[in-house]
Amino acid sequence: MHRFRFVLWRPLQLLPVLFGISVITFVLIRSIPGDPARLLLGTRATPTALAKIRAQYGLDEPLWTQYLYFLQNLSQGEMGRSIVFKIGVLDLMANRILPTVLLVVGSVILSLLITVPLASLAARNRGRTVDHAIRLVSTAGLGLPAFWLGIMLIILLSVNLGLFPVAGFGDTWLDRLHHMVLPCLTVALALSAVLTRNLRASMIAEMASDQATAARARGLPERVIFRRHVLPNSLVPTINLLAVNIGWLIGGSVVVETVFSLPGLGQLLVRGIFARDYMVVQAIAMAFAVATVLINFLADVLTVAIDPRIRL
Amino acid sequence: MSVALARPRLRTPGLPVPLVLGVLLVGAWAVLAVGAPWLAPYDPIAQDMAAKLQPPSAAHWLGTDNFGRDILSRVIWGARIDLQIGFLGVIFPFLIGTCIGAISGYAGGIVDNVFMRLVDIVLAFPFLVLMIAIIAVLGPGLASFYIAMALVGWVSYARLIRAQVLVLKHADFVLAAKSLDFGHGRILFRHILPNALTGSIVFAMSDAVLVILNGAAISYLGLGVQPPIAEWGLMIAEGQGFITTAWWITTFPGLAIVVLAFGFSLLADGLGELLGVRE
């Protein structure tokens, strides 16, 4: 199993990146103009109360000491309190994580369900009208703003046809899934444009590969060659592309959550900025960055597991 | 001293079709943007409460919004802002990324290491999330958007240029330049860089698509262009409250984004084909 040895040392390589993420978010939040103590207590706070808060949060100490406090708190799972919701940031995030996870996972699954048939159709009819049509649509799809696409789907499917709720998140699981269909479809359609172009290209490359030619020489029908040899091999680069695009996917979900008023982390982030709820902004930005790093790592593990030729 | 490079001979005499279409689409928007004061039938900001929420008609081709403002005029004026977003949002990251990538690749060693770790860290953040966090610090507005774009967007260009420079710095023409005792600055910026730029120029075209989408998304969230200025993303946000009664307010600015972005996508594909660059 020495192929998987990187699983042990790669996390060590990730440590500097995680350190950098914490420095950047810390510096960003501390460079916001205004006194955090005043922000916590409001404009009518007395000087003694302000001084007390400054001492309590270590705001009267040099910046690097404050950063060490920040790291210490972080290691104890303490990320500060939301000044809007009056609860710990971690508890707040735990309440809001479900819609975001459902949105990201749901749109990845949906986008694969859209991409694989479309790319196969285009690759197997290369140069014909179907191929040109799919390429044209996916090129145009690259420029689709997700938030606009979401509103168009709302107008079409919710307002006119009444198939799905316009916004929000349900209470029962069935209701929630019903609420998630349109947001997931929105992100999935935008994502499919990127994936289809890529998957079509790698399918065409695989169809000309030696093993496909060998299978043809053995007299296997083209349909079987495609399903058994071309499809699995061409999916590997697409999975990598998905992982590379996870940052894009999270960014897209931030916007789409706002469009559909989904009570997820992205909506919390955007509202946190307008409410100047900086502890929340800091924690969510960090959580998204750490999630991106971890998912990319998992994708590497998955790639090695799928394709025995790949060494990392 | 000049280095004679064999020009790639084009197999077909004409230009690639996507390139021509892309130039036409982007060019058409540029003409609309420049000619907005003469081409737009109405003032994009003037309110006319007598004509509010009107569907598309002969007087207002694309209808009016809740303040009675003509959507067509606002879309035409919006082209100015969105084209500017596409241009400035690409050019700053391009220049910064090119310089950092070139120096990083040419110098190597510790300089290279420091810059590339920085690239790793910036890339770890979801692009839009880091943009939003930076704009939170700077305060909403288009200027903040450009600064955030420059701070975040340079990494892709730095990576591309660095990879090219790493290959080219061992090329024969660089050895020739070194043997003539040229300075490092001259070798890097006059000899290596011009040969390393092709890939990132093509990438800049497809990057323009992402930048325009991001700019519109930031404005949609209320963090970019502020009302009453006509900008497509902001227009979509303003129309969202009226989707049950006035679909045209959100539909047409979105279509404008799609068409402009499509133009840049075609431009990128066509230019890549012309210059023989694969993404």
Side-chain angles (χ1 to χ4, degrees):
Chain A
M1 291 307 277
H2 64 279
R3 291 198 294 125
F4 287 98
R5 208 179 284 157
F6 78 98
V7 176
L8 294 176
W9 54 258
R10 180 62 69 82
L12 292 177
Q13 273 194 329
L14 292 179
L15 280 178
V17 173
L18 294 176
F19 172 72
I21 289 172
S22 73
V23 172
I24 286 190
T25 37
F26 177 79
V27 170
L28 265 180
I29 296 304
R30 287 307 148 101
S31 45
I32 286 171
D35 183 351
R38 198 166 276 286
L39 205 64
L40 275 171
L41 294 178
T43 42
R44 279 178 294 175
T46 60
T48 37
L50 283 175
K52 198 178 151 212
I53 282 286
R54 284 200 191 104
Q56 187 187 337
Y57 285 90
L59 295 171
D60 48 359
E61 292 184 56
L63 204 60
W64 67 271
T65 326
Q66 288 188 42
Y67 175 71
L68 291 182
Y69 280 133
F70 169 73
L71 277 192
Q72 191 190 10
N73 288 337
L74 206 61
S75 64
Q76 291 162 356
E78 176 57 62
M79 300 277 287
R81 287 171 66 82
S82 157
I83 54 168
V84 174
F85 295 92
K86 315 280 183 212
I87 57 170
V89 169
L90 279 183
D91 293 330
L92 185 62
M93 284 170 66
N95 291 336
R96 300 297 196 97
I97 201 166
L98 184 64
T100 305
V101 171
L102 283 181
L103 181 57
V104 171
V105 173
S107 39
V108 166
I109 294 172
L110 256 181
S111 70
L112 285 177
L113 288 179
I114 298 169
T115 302
V116 172
L118 273 186
S120 313
L121 198 63
R124 296 188 65 178
N125 294 292
R126 189 184 178 190
R128 298 207 197 121
T129 320
V130 196
D131 182 30
H132 289 308
I134 290 173
R135 275 173 72 190
L136 194 71
V137 170
S138 60
T139 306
L142 288 178
L144 273 185
F147 57 99
W148 178 72
L149 186 63
I151 296 174
M152 290 300 111
L153 289 175
I154 293 176
I155 293 180
L156 212 66
L157 300 176
S158 303
V159 177
N160 287 341
L161 299 175
L163 291 177
F164 300 103
V166 173
F169 194 52
D171 296 319
T172 63
W173 272 98
L174 202 65
D175 202 20
R176 282 175 182 166
L177 286 180
H178 194 204
H179 276 87
M180 290 307 298
V181 175
L182 278 193
C184 288
L185 191 61
T186 305
V187 180
L189 283 175
L191 186 59
S192 301
V194 185
L195 297 185
T196 304
R197 282 163 63 100
N198 181 273
L199 186 59
R200 172 189 170 274
S202 52
M203 277 176 171
I204 287 174
E206 277 305 324
M207 281 161 82
S209 68
D210 289 347
Q211 51 154 335
T213 313
R216 257 175 228 125
R218 295 205 308 273
L220 283 174
E222 206 59 36
R223 190 167 36 83
V224 177
I225 298 175
F226 197 83
R227 210 181 47 229
R228 280 208 214 134
H229 298 281
V230 175
L231 189 59
N233 279 308
S234 50
L235 269 175
V236 175
T238 305
I239 287 174
N240 273 315
L241 189 69
L242 255 177
V244 170
N245 276 305
I246 188 71
W248 178 90
L249 201 58
I250 289 175
S253 72
V254 170
V255 182
V256 169
E257 280 177 18
T258 308
V259 174
F260 289 92
S261 314
L262 272 179
L265 292 178
Q267 194 203 34
L268 196 62
L269 174 74
V270 173
R271 296 212 172 152
I273 286 171
F274 286 113
R276 301 182 161 264
D277 203 349
Y278 294 125
M279 287 297 131
V280 172
V281 175
Q282 170 176 276
I284 294 179
M286 265 185 68
F288 277 153
V290 172
T292 310
V293 172
L294 289 183
I295 289 171
N296 272 304
F297 173 63
L298 285 180
D300 283 348
V301 178
L302 197 63
T303 312
V304 173
I306 293 177
D307 192 339
R309 290 167 303 185
I310 293 175
R311 297 273 142 87
L312 284 173
Chain B
M1 188 200 90
S2 70
V3 180
L5 285 173
R7 284 197 179 277
R9 189 179 291 277
L10 300 176
R11 206 163 284 161
T12 45
L15 294 163
V17 181
L19 182 65
V20 176
L21 286 177
V23 168
L24 284 178
L25 276 181
V26 175
W29 276 119
V31 168
L32 284 176
V34 172
W38 303 280
L39 293 171
Y42 294 89
D43 184 322
I45 295 170
Q47 303 188 358
D48 179 7
M49 293 314 269
K52 68 173 183 178
L53 295 175
Q54 283 188 1
S57 64
H60 298 280
W61 289 4
L62 305 184
T64 62
D65 68 6
N66 54 316
F67 294 113
R69 297 176 297 195
D70 181 54
I71 300 290
L72 176 63
S73 305
R74 286 178 69 71
V75 166
I76 293 176
W77 277 88
R80 291 191 157 199
I81 308 284
D82 284 272
L83 269 178
Q84 186 201 335
I85 287 176
F87 184 71
L88 294 182
V90 167
I91 202 79
F92 292 138
F94 183 93
L95 292 177
I96 297 172
T98 300
C99 286
I100 292 182
I103 293 169
S104 187
Y106 188 74
I110 194 156
V111 179
D112 188 32
N113 239 310
V114 168
F115 277 134
M116 285 307 114
R117 293 296 80 73
L118 193 59
V119 166
D120 287 345
I121 294 165
V122 175
L123 279 178
F125 282 94
F127 193 85
L128 204 59
V129 171
L130 190 53
M131 292 274 300
I132 290 176
I134 295 174
I135 294 174
V137 175
L138 299 172
L142 206 49
S144 307
F145 171 76
Y146 291 132
I147 296 174
M149 199 62 231
L151 287 174
V152 182
W154 60 272
V155 287
S156 328
Y157 294 98
R159 276 194 150 184
L160 275 173
I161 291 286
R162 175 180 173 270
Q164 285 290 314
V165 170
L166 281 181
V167 176
L168 288 172
K169 76 175 175 182
H170 301 296
D172 286 343
F173 69 88
V174 175
L175 194 67
K178 270 187 191 148
S179 68
L180 290 170
D181 206 20
F182 288 170
H184 286 306
R186 183 168 179 184
I187 293 176
L188 178 55
F189 288 100
R190 300 276 295 278
H191 294 269
I192 297 183
L193 206 52
N195 290 297
L197 280 175
T198 324
S200 35
I201 289 172
V202 175
F203 176 77
M205 293 299 142
S206 56
D207 194 33
V209 178
L210 293 178
V211 171
I212 289 169
L213 290 185
N214 276 326
I218 294 282
S219 292
Y220 169 81
L221 293 174
L223 295 166
V225 177
Q226 299 297 311
I229 295 174
E231 189 278 335
W232 299 335
L234 184 62
M235 287 173 74
I236 294 172
E238 289 170 342
Q240 200 181 351
F242 301 93
I243 50 170
T244 50
T245 51
W247 53 270
W248 51 90
I249 306 179
T250 44
T251 304
F252 293 118
L255 280 177
I257 299 177
V258 174
V259 174
L260 180 62
F262 187 47
F264 274 111
S265 291
L266 288 174
L267 212 58
D269 281 1
L271 209 57
E273 210 176 296
L274 183 72
L275 301 170
V277 178
R278 298 295 315 151
E279 271 182 55

Short mmCIF file of all heavy atoms in Angstrom, two decimals, chain A residues 198-248:
data_model
loop_
_atom_site.label_atom_id
_atom_site.label_comp_id
_atom_site.label_asym_id
_atom_site.label_seq_id
_atom_site.Cartn_x
_atom_site.Cartn_y
_atom_site.Cartn_z
N ASN A 198 -15.05 19.59 -20.35
CA ASN A 198 -13.89 18.81 -19.93
C ASN A 198 -14.08 17.32 -20.16
O ASN A 198 -13.22 16.63 -20.72
CB ASN A 198 -13.63 19.10 -18.45
CG ASN A 198 -12.43 18.37 -17.93
OD1 ASN A 198 -12.56 17.24 -17.50
ND2 ASN A 198 -11.27 19.00 -18.00
N LEU A 199 -15.25 16.80 -19.75
CA LEU A 199 -15.50 15.36 -19.86
C LEU A 199 -15.55 14.93 -21.32
O LEU A 199 -15.02 13.88 -21.69
CB LEU A 199 -16.82 15.01 -19.14
CG LEU A 199 -17.13 13.53 -19.04
CD1 LEU A 199 -16.03 12.79 -18.29
CD2 LEU A 199 -18.46 13.31 -18.31
N ARG A 200 -16.17 15.76 -22.18
CA ARG A 200 -16.23 15.45 -23.60
C ARG A 200 -14.81 15.30 -24.16
O ARG A 200 -14.51 14.33 -24.86
CB ARG A 200 -16.97 16.56 -24.35
CG ARG A 200 -16.92 16.41 -25.85
CD ARG A 200 -17.48 17.62 -26.57
NE ARG A 200 -17.20 17.55 -27.99
CZ ARG A 200 -16.07 17.98 -28.55
NH1 ARG A 200 -15.12 18.48 -27.79
NH2 ARG A 200 -15.89 17.87 -29.85
N ALA A 201 -13.93 16.25 -23.81
CA ALA A 201 -12.56 16.21 -24.32
C ALA A 201 -11.84 14.95 -23.84
O ALA A 201 -11.16 14.28 -24.63
CB ALA A 201 -11.80 17.46 -23.88
N SER A 202 -12.00 14.60 -22.55
CA SER A 202 -11.25 13.42 -22.09
C SER A 202 -11.87 12.14 -22.63
O SER A 202 -11.18 11.15 -22.84
CB SER A 202 -11.12 13.39 -20.56
OG SER A 202 -12.35 13.54 -19.94
N MET A 203 -13.20 12.13 -22.89
CA MET A 203 -13.81 10.95 -23.52
C MET A 203 -13.27 10.74 -24.92
O MET A 203 -12.95 9.62 -25.32
CB MET A 203 -15.33 11.13 -23.58
CG MET A 203 -16.04 10.76 -22.31
SD MET A 203 -17.79 11.12 -22.46
CE MET A 203 -18.38 10.35 -20.95
N ILE A 204 -13.14 11.85 -25.67
CA ILE A 204 -12.63 11.73 -27.05
C ILE A 204 -11.20 11.20 -27.03
O ILE A 204 -10.82 10.35 -27.84
CB ILE A 204 -12.74 13.09 -27.76
CG1 ILE A 204 -14.21 13.36 -28.09
CG2 ILE A 204 -11.89 13.12 -29.02
CD1 ILE A 204 -14.49 14.72 -28.66
N ALA A 205 -10.41 11.68 -26.05
CA ALA A 205 -9.04 11.19 -25.94
C ALA A 205 -9.03 9.70 -25.59
O ALA A 205 -8.25 8.92 -26.16
CB ALA A 205 -8.29 12.00 -24.87
N GLU A 206 -9.92 9.28 -24.68
CA GLU A 206 -9.97 7.88 -24.27
C GLU A 206 -10.43 6.97 -25.42
O GLU A 206 -10.02 5.83 -25.53
CB GLU A 206 -10.91 7.69 -23.08
CG GLU A 206 -10.31 7.98 -21.73
CD GLU A 206 -9.05 7.19 -21.43
OE1 GLU A 206 -8.98 6.01 -21.86
OE2 GLU A 206 -8.14 7.73 -20.80
N MET A 207 -11.36 7.51 -26.26
CA MET A 207 -11.89 6.69 -27.36
C MET A 207 -10.81 6.35 -28.37
O MET A 207 -10.93 5.38 -29.11
CB MET A 207 -13.06 7.40 -28.04
CG MET A 207 -14.35 7.29 -27.27
SD MET A 207 -15.56 8.53 -27.76
CE MET A 207 -16.23 7.76 -29.21
N ALA A 208 -9.74 7.19 -28.41
CA ALA A 208 -8.64 6.93 -29.34
C ALA A 208 -7.49 6.21 -28.65
O ALA A 208 -6.44 6.01 -29.25
CB ALA A 208 -8.16 8.26 -29.92
N SER A 209 -7.69 5.81 -27.37
CA SER A 209 -6.59 5.20 -26.62
C SER A 209 -6.32 3.77 -27.09
O SER A 209 -7.15 3.15 -27.75
CB SER A 209 -6.92 5.19 -25.13
OG SER A 209 -7.99 4.31 -24.91
N ASP A 210 -5.14 3.27 -26.72
CA ASP A 210 -4.74 1.91 -27.12
C ASP A 210 -5.72 0.87 -26.63
O ASP A 210 -6.07 -0.08 -27.34
CB ASP A 210 -3.34 1.60 -26.57
CG ASP A 210 -2.28 2.41 -27.30
OD1 ASP A 210 -2.63 2.98 -28.36
OD2 ASP A 210 -1.15 2.46 -26.82
N GLN A 211 -6.16 1.03 -25.38
CA GLN A 211 -7.03 -0.01 -24.83
C GLN A 211 -8.39 -0.03 -25.53
O GLN A 211 -8.98 -1.10 -25.69
CB GLN A 211 -7.18 0.17 -23.32
CG GLN A 211 -7.56 1.55 -22.91
CD GLN A 211 -8.29 1.53 -21.60
OE1 GLN A 211 -8.88 0.53 -21.25
NE2 GLN A 211 -8.24 2.63 -20.88
N ALA A 212 -8.87 1.13 -25.97
CA ALA A 212 -10.13 1.15 -26.70
C ALA A 212 -9.94 0.48 -28.05
O ALA A 212 -10.79 -0.31 -28.51
CB ALA A 212 -10.62 2.58 -26.88
N THR A 213 -8.78 0.75 -28.69
CA THR A 213 -8.48 0.12 -29.97
C THR A 213 -8.37 -1.40 -29.81
O THR A 213 -8.90 -2.17 -30.62
CB THR A 213 -7.15 0.66 -30.53
OG1 THR A 213 -7.18 2.09 -30.42
CG2 THR A 213 -6.97 0.28 -31.97
N ALA A 214 -7.72 -1.82 -28.71
CA ALA A 214 -7.58 -3.26 -28.45
C ALA A 214 -8.95 -3.91 -28.26
O ALA A 214 -9.22 -5.01 -28.76
CB ALA A 214 -6.72 -3.47 -27.20
N ALA A 215 -9.82 -3.21 -27.55
CA ALA A 215 -11.16 -3.74 -27.32
C ALA A 215 -11.92 -3.85 -28.63
O ALA A 215 -12.65 -4.82 -28.87
CB ALA A 215 -11.92 -2.85 -26.33
N ARG A 216 -11.72 -2.85 -29.50
CA ARG A 216 -12.37 -2.88 -30.81
C ARG A 216 -11.85 -4.08 -31.61
O ARG A 216 -12.62 -4.79 -32.27
CB ARG A 216 -12.07 -1.58 -31.57
CG ARG A 216 -13.23 -0.64 -31.57
CD ARG A 216 -12.91 0.70 -32.22
NE ARG A 216 -13.38 1.75 -31.33
CZ ARG A 216 -12.62 2.72 -30.87
NH1 ARG A 216 -11.36 2.80 -31.22
NH2 ARG A 216 -13.12 3.62 -30.06
N ALA A 217 -10.55 -4.35 -31.51
CA ALA A 217 -9.95 -5.46 -32.24
C ALA A 217 -10.50 -6.79 -31.75
O ALA A 217 -10.61 -7.75 -32.51
CB ALA A 217 -8.43 -5.43 -32.07
N ARG A 218 -10.86 -6.83 -30.46
CA ARG A 218 -11.46 -8.06 -29.94
C ARG A 218 -12.92 -8.20 -30.37
O ARG A 218 -13.57 -9.17 -30.02
CB ARG A 218 -11.40 -8.06 -28.40
CG ARG A 218 -10.01 -8.10 -27.83
CD ARG A 218 -9.97 -8.71 -26.43
NE ARG A 218 -10.91 -8.11 -25.50
CZ ARG A 218 -10.64 -7.03 -24.78
NH1 ARG A 218 -9.48 -6.42 -24.91
NH2 ARG A 218 -11.53 -6.55 -23.94
N GLY A 219 -13.42 -7.20 -31.08
CA GLY A 219 -14.77 -7.28 -31.60
C GLY A 219 -15.85 -6.85 -30.65
O GLY A 219 -17.03 -7.14 -30.85
N LEU A 220 -15.48 -6.16 -29.57
CA LEU A 220 -16.51 -5.67 -28.64
C LEU A 220 -17.32 -4.56 -29.30
O LEU A 220 -16.76 -3.75 -30.04
CB LEU A 220 -15.84 -5.11 -27.38
CG LEU A 220 -15.33 -6.11 -26.36
CD1 LEU A 220 -14.57 -5.38 -25.27
CD2 LEU A 220 -16.47 -6.91 -25.78
N PRO A 221 -18.63 -4.56 -29.06
CA PRO A 221 -19.43 -3.48 -29.63
C PRO A 221 -19.05 -2.12 -29.02
O PRO A 221 -18.67 -2.06 -27.85
CB PRO A 221 -20.87 -3.85 -29.28
CG PRO A 221 -20.78 -4.90 -28.25
CD PRO A 221 -19.44 -5.53 -28.33
N GLU A 222 -19.18 -1.08 -29.81
CA GLU A 222 -18.77 0.27 -29.40
C GLU A 222 -19.44 0.70 -28.09
O GLU A 222 -18.85 1.36 -27.25
CB GLU A 222 -19.14 1.24 -30.53
CG GLU A 222 -18.31 2.51 -30.60
CD GLU A 222 -16.81 2.26 -30.79
OE1 GLU A 222 -16.42 1.29 -31.51
OE2 GLU A 222 -16.04 3.00 -30.20
N ARG A 223 -20.69 0.25 -27.91
CA ARG A 223 -21.46 0.61 -26.71
C ARG A 223 -20.77 0.06 -25.45
O ARG A 223 -20.62 0.75 -24.45
CB ARG A 223 -22.87 0.01 -26.86
CG ARG A 223 -23.90 0.41 -25.87
CD ARG A 223 -25.28 -0.04 -26.38
NE ARG A 223 -25.22 -1.34 -27.09
CZ ARG A 223 -25.21 -2.53 -26.47
NH1 ARG A 223 -25.28 -2.59 -25.17
NH2 ARG A 223 -25.16 -3.65 -27.18
N VAL A 224 -20.32 -1.19 -25.53
CA VAL A 224 -19.67 -1.83 -24.39
C VAL A 224 -18.30 -1.20 -24.12
O VAL A 224 -17.94 -0.95 -22.97
CB VAL A 224 -19.52 -3.35 -24.65
CG1 VAL A 224 -18.77 -4.01 -23.51
CG2 VAL A 224 -20.89 -3.98 -24.86
N ILE A 225 -17.56 -0.93 -25.20
CA ILE A 225 -16.25 -0.27 -25.04
C ILE A 225 -16.43 1.04 -24.30
O ILE A 225 -15.69 1.38 -23.38
CB ILE A 225 -15.61 0.00 -26.42
CG1 ILE A 225 -15.36 -1.30 -27.16
CG2 ILE A 225 -14.32 0.79 -26.27
CD1 ILE A 225 -14.85 -1.10 -28.57
N PHE A 226 -17.47 1.76 -24.72
CA PHE A 226 -17.70 3.07 -24.12
C PHE A 226 -17.98 2.94 -22.63
O PHE A 226 -17.42 3.65 -21.81
CB PHE A 226 -18.87 3.77 -24.82
CG PHE A 226 -18.92 5.24 -24.55
CD1 PHE A 226 -18.14 6.13 -25.28
CD2 PHE A 226 -19.71 5.73 -23.53
CE1 PHE A 226 -18.17 7.48 -25.01
CE2 PHE A 226 -19.74 7.09 -23.25
CZ PHE A 226 -18.97 7.95 -24.00
N ARG A 227 -18.86 2.00 -22.27
CA ARG A 227 -19.29 1.91 -20.88
C ARG A 227 -18.18 1.36 -19.98
O ARG A 227 -17.97 1.81 -18.87
CB ARG A 227 -20.54 1.02 -20.78
CG ARG A 227 -21.45 1.41 -19.64
CD ARG A 227 -22.67 0.51 -19.58
NE ARG A 227 -22.34 -0.89 -19.68
CZ ARG A 227 -22.96 -1.74 -20.50
NH1 ARG A 227 -23.93 -1.33 -21.27
NH2 ARG A 227 -22.62 -3.01 -20.53
N ARG A 228 -17.45 0.36 -20.49
CA ARG A 228 -16.48 -0.31 -19.62
C ARG A 228 -15.10 0.33 -19.63
O ARG A 228 -14.37 0.27 -18.65
CB ARG A 228 -16.32 -1.77 -20.07
CG ARG A 228 -17.46 -2.61 -19.55
CD ARG A 228 -17.01 -4.04 -19.36
NE ARG A 228 -18.13 -4.93 -19.65
CZ ARG A 228 -18.03 -6.00 -20.40
NH1 ARG A 228 -16.86 -6.31 -20.94
NH2 ARG A 228 -19.06 -6.77 -20.61
N HIS A 229 -14.70 0.91 -20.76
CA HIS A 229 -13.33 1.42 -20.85
C HIS A 229 -13.26 2.94 -20.88
O HIS A 229 -12.48 3.55 -20.16
CB HIS A 229 -12.63 0.85 -22.08
CG HIS A 229 -12.51 -0.64 -22.03
ND1 HIS A 229 -11.56 -1.27 -21.28
CD2 HIS A 229 -13.25 -1.61 -22.61
CE1 HIS A 229 -11.70 -2.58 -21.40
NE2 HIS A 229 -12.73 -2.80 -22.21
N VAL A 230 -14.06 3.54 -21.74
CA VAL A 230 -13.94 4.99 -21.94
C VAL A 230 -14.47 5.75 -20.73
O VAL A 230 -13.79 6.61 -20.17
CB VAL A 230 -14.69 5.42 -23.22
CG1 VAL A 230 -14.66 6.93 -23.36
CG2 VAL A 230 -14.07 4.75 -24.43
N LEU A 231 -15.69 5.41 -20.30
CA LEU A 231 -16.34 6.19 -19.24
C LEU A 231 -15.55 6.20 -17.93
O LEU A 231 -15.26 7.27 -17.40
CB LEU A 231 -17.78 5.68 -19.04
CG LEU A 231 -18.65 6.52 -18.12
CD1 LEU A 231 -18.77 7.94 -18.64
CD2 LEU A 231 -20.04 5.90 -17.98
N PRO A 232 -15.18 5.02 -17.38
CA PRO A 232 -14.46 5.07 -16.09
C PRO A 232 -13.15 5.85 -16.16
O PRO A 232 -12.83 6.61 -15.26
CB PRO A 232 -14.17 3.59 -15.78
CG PRO A 232 -15.10 2.82 -16.63
CD PRO A 232 -15.37 3.64 -17.84
N ASN A 233 -12.42 5.69 -17.27
CA ASN A 233 -11.13 6.38 -17.37
C ASN A 233 -11.27 7.87 -17.54
O ASN A 233 -10.45 8.64 -17.06
CB ASN A 233 -10.33 5.81 -18.54
CG ASN A 233 -9.63 4.54 -18.15
OD1 ASN A 233 -8.93 4.49 -17.16
ND2 ASN A 233 -9.86 3.49 -18.92
N SER A 234 -12.32 8.28 -18.25
CA SER A 234 -12.44 9.72 -18.48
C SER A 234 -13.06 10.43 -17.29
O SER A 234 -13.03 11.65 -17.22
CB SER A 234 -13.24 9.99 -19.76
OG SER A 234 -14.44 9.26 -19.73
N LEU A 235 -13.60 9.66 -16.34
CA LEU A 235 -14.19 10.30 -15.17
C LEU A 235 -13.13 10.80 -14.19
O LEU A 235 -13.38 11.72 -13.42
CB LEU A 235 -15.13 9.33 -14.45
CG LEU A 235 -16.60 9.39 -14.91
CD1 LEU A 235 -17.40 8.31 -14.22
CD2 LEU A 235 -17.22 10.75 -14.66
N VAL A 236 -11.92 10.19 -14.23
CA VAL A 236 -10.88 10.59 -13.28
C VAL A 236 -10.53 12.08 -13.38
O VAL A 236 -10.57 12.79 -12.39
CB VAL A 236 -9.63 9.70 -13.42
CG1 VAL A 236 -8.52 10.19 -12.52
CG2 VAL A 236 -9.98 8.26 -13.08
N PRO A 237 -10.19 12.57 -14.60
CA PRO A 237 -9.91 14.01 -14.67
C PRO A 237 -11.11 14.87 -14.27
O PRO A 237 -10.93 15.97 -13.74
CB PRO A 237 -9.54 14.25 -16.14
CG PRO A 237 -9.71 12.99 -16.84
CD PRO A 237 -9.93 11.89 -15.88
N THR A 238 -12.33 14.36 -14.51
CA THR A 238 -13.50 15.15 -14.15
C THR A 238 -13.66 15.27 -12.64
O THR A 238 -14.03 16.33 -12.12
CB THR A 238 -14.76 14.53 -14.78
OG1 THR A 238 -14.54 14.40 -16.17
CG2 THR A 238 -15.97 15.39 -14.55
N ILE A 239 -13.34 14.17 -11.93
CA ILE A 239 -13.40 14.23 -10.47
C ILE A 239 -12.38 15.24 -9.95
O ILE A 239 -12.66 16.03 -9.05
CB ILE A 239 -13.14 12.83 -9.86
CG1 ILE A 239 -14.38 11.95 -10.10
CG2 ILE A 239 -12.84 12.91 -8.37
CD1 ILE A 239 -14.21 10.52 -9.70
N ASN A 240 -11.19 15.24 -10.58
CA ASN A 240 -10.19 16.23 -10.19
C ASN A 240 -10.66 17.65 -10.45
O ASN A 240 -10.45 18.55 -9.65
CB ASN A 240 -8.88 15.99 -10.93
CG ASN A 240 -8.01 15.00 -10.20
OD1 ASN A 240 -7.86 15.12 -9.00
ND2 ASN A 240 -7.48 14.03 -10.91
N LEU A 241 -11.31 17.83 -11.60
CA LEU A 241 -11.81 19.15 -11.95
C LEU A 241 -12.87 19.60 -10.94
O LEU A 241 -12.92 20.76 -10.55
CB LEU A 241 -12.41 19.13 -13.36
CG LEU A 241 -12.78 20.49 -13.92
CD1 LEU A 241 -11.55 21.31 -14.21
CD2 LEU A 241 -13.63 20.36 -15.17
N LEU A 242 -13.70 18.63 -10.51
CA LEU A 242 -14.70 18.93 -9.48
C LEU A 242 -14.02 19.42 -8.20
O LEU A 242 -14.45 20.41 -7.60
CB LEU A 242 -15.49 17.67 -9.15
CG LEU A 242 -16.91 17.57 -9.71
CD1 LEU A 242 -17.51 16.23 -9.34
CD2 LEU A 242 -17.78 18.70 -9.19
N ALA A 243 -12.95 18.74 -7.81
CA ALA A 243 -12.24 19.12 -6.58
C ALA A 243 -11.61 20.49 -6.73
O ALA A 243 -11.68 21.32 -5.82
CB ALA A 243 -11.18 18.08 -6.25
N VAL A 244 -11.01 20.75 -7.91
CA VAL A 244 -10.41 22.06 -8.15
C VAL A 244 -11.48 23.14 -8.07
O VAL A 244 -11.25 24.24 -7.60
CB VAL A 244 -9.71 22.08 -9.52
CG1 VAL A 244 -9.29 23.49 -9.90
CG2 VAL A 244 -8.50 21.17 -9.51
N ASN A 245 -12.69 22.77 -8.52
CA ASN A 245 -13.76 23.76 -8.56
C ASN A 245 -14.55 23.85 -7.26
O ASN A 245 -15.55 24.55 -7.21
CB ASN A 245 -14.72 23.45 -9.70
CG ASN A 245 -14.22 24.01 -11.00
OD1 ASN A 245 -13.96 25.20 -11.09
ND2 ASN A 245 -14.03 23.17 -11.99
N ILE A 246 -14.11 23.14 -6.21
CA ILE A 246 -14.90 23.16 -4.97
C ILE A 246 -14.97 24.58 -4.40
O ILE A 246 -16.01 24.99 -3.86
CB ILE A 246 -14.33 22.15 -3.93
CG1 ILE A 246 -15.29 22.03 -2.74
CG2 ILE A 246 -12.97 22.53 -3.43
CD1 ILE A 246 -16.57 21.32 -3.06
N GLY A 247 -13.90 25.35 -4.57
CA GLY A 247 -13.92 26.74 -4.11
C GLY A 247 -14.97 27.55 -4.86
O GLY A 247 -15.73 28.31 -4.28
N TRP A 248 -15.00 27.32 -6.18
CA TRP A 248 -16.00 27.98 -7.02
C TRP A 248 -17.41 27.57 -6.59
O TRP A 248 -18.33 28.38 -6.50
CB TRP A 248 -15.76 27.57 -8.47
CG TRP A 248 -16.73 28.14 -9.43
CD1 TRP A 248 -16.63 29.33 -10.10
CD2 TRP A 248 -17.97 27.56 -9.85
NE1 TRP A 248 -17.74 29.51 -10.88
CE2 TRP A 248 -18.56 28.45 -10.75
CE3 TRP A 248 -18.62 26.37 -9.53
CZ2 TRP A 248 -19.80 28.19 -11.34
CZ3 TRP A 248 -19.84 26.11 -10.11
CH2 TRP A 248 -20.42 27.01 -11.02
#
